[in-house]
Amino acid sequence: MPSNSLLRWQTDRVPRLNALDAQVASGPPSALADENLRALVAMLCAHFQGFCRDLYSESVESVVRTFPPGMGLVARTQFMAQIGLGTGNPTLQTLVRDFDRFGVGVRAALDADPANAVRLNHLALLNQWRNFVVHHGVTAPPGPALAPALPQVWQVSCGGLAAELDRIMYDYLQALLGTPPW
C-alpha cells in the first residue's frame, strides 16, 4: 500500500512537473527557454525533496503513534530535529542521514536493487544541476549540456526512487511495528 507521500508525488507533484515540462518542450526558442528549463530543474529537485520530507514525516508519525502521548511528543521532537531534508538538497547522503534515524539502513536497501545505481547517479546529477541553476553558477556540471530531455530522465529516476523509498520504509516499519505503517 503506498504512503500518502507517494500518492501525492504521483497525483499532485508529477502532474505539475509534467505541465512545466510540456511548457518547456513546446516553447519557442527564446531568451526564456533557458530560464524555463532551469526552472524545471529547480522544481524537480524541490518536488523530490518535498516527497522525501513528506515520507520522512509520515514515517515519524507511524512510529510516534505507538508511543504513549507524552513520549510520542519527545520522540517526534527528536526525529524532527535538524533533519537534512528540511533545508538541504535530497542527496543520497541526506536521505541516508535522515532515514537511518529509524535504523533502516537505507543505503544497503537501495543497493539491493541494481536499478537504483542509475537512479542515484541521476539524483546526483540533478542536485549538481540544481545547485548550478539556483546559484547562477559559472561553470556547468561535467557531462552533457542541460537539455529538455535530461530533466525528463531525472524525473523518471526520481519516481523510481520515490517508489523504492516508500517500499523500503513500509517494509521496515511494518516489521518494526508489527502493523502496516500506513
Side-chain angles (χ1 to χ4, degrees):
M1 174 179 205
S3 65
N4 289 329
S5 305
L6 183 60
L7 292 174
R8 182 171 180 220
W9 167 263
Q10 295 168 336
T11 62
D12 179 40
R13 294 178 185 278
V14 168
R16 287 192 284 153
L17 288 167
N18 289 343
L20 182 55
D21 181 58
Q23 178 183 331
V24 168
S26 68
S30 69
L32 287 180
D34 186 58
E35 290 297 312
N36 287 337
L37 182 57
R38 289 168 175 252
L40 178 58
V41 170
M43 291 307 299
L44 173 56
C45 196
H47 278 293
F48 185 67
Q49 178 181 351
F51 158 76
C52 294
R53 189 183 54 245
D54 289 350
L55 180 63
Y56 181 86
S57 297
E58 194 170 346
S59 297
V60 167
E61 291 308 313
S62 70
V63 170
V64 166
R65 74 173 162 252
T66 67
F67 285 55
M71 289 302 297
L73 177 61
V74 171
R76 180 181 297 109
T77 300
Q78 290 303 307
F79 270 118
M80 298 307 291
Q82 299 177 355
I83 62 166
L85 290 166
T87 57
N89 292 351
T91 64
L92 175 60
Q93 295 77 19
T94 304
L95 295 173
V96 167
R97 186 173 48 249
D98 285 352
F99 282 98
D100 278 1
R101 290 180 176 194
F102 294 96
V104 68
V106 167
R107 180 63 197 250
L110 287 170
D111 287 346
D113 182 347
N116 288 330
V118 171
R119 293 172 180 151
L120 291 170
N121 183 51
H122 288 164
L123 180 62
L125 291 171
L126 170 60
N127 277 295
Q128 288 173 5
W129 273 102
R130 178 258 176 223
N131 288 341
F132 174 76
V133 163
V134 302
H135 298 293
H136 297 279
V138 176
T139 305
L146 186 59
L150 279 177
Q152 293 170 353
V153 169
W154 297 336
Q155 182 177 325
V156 170
S157 287
C158 286
L161 284 172
E164 277 289 290
L165 288 168
D166 192 78
R167 180 195 58 76
I168 288 165
M169 292 309 296
Y170 181 90
D171 291 349
Y172 178 78
L173 292 172
Q174 183 174 25
L176 180 70
L177 303 173
T179 185
W182 39 78

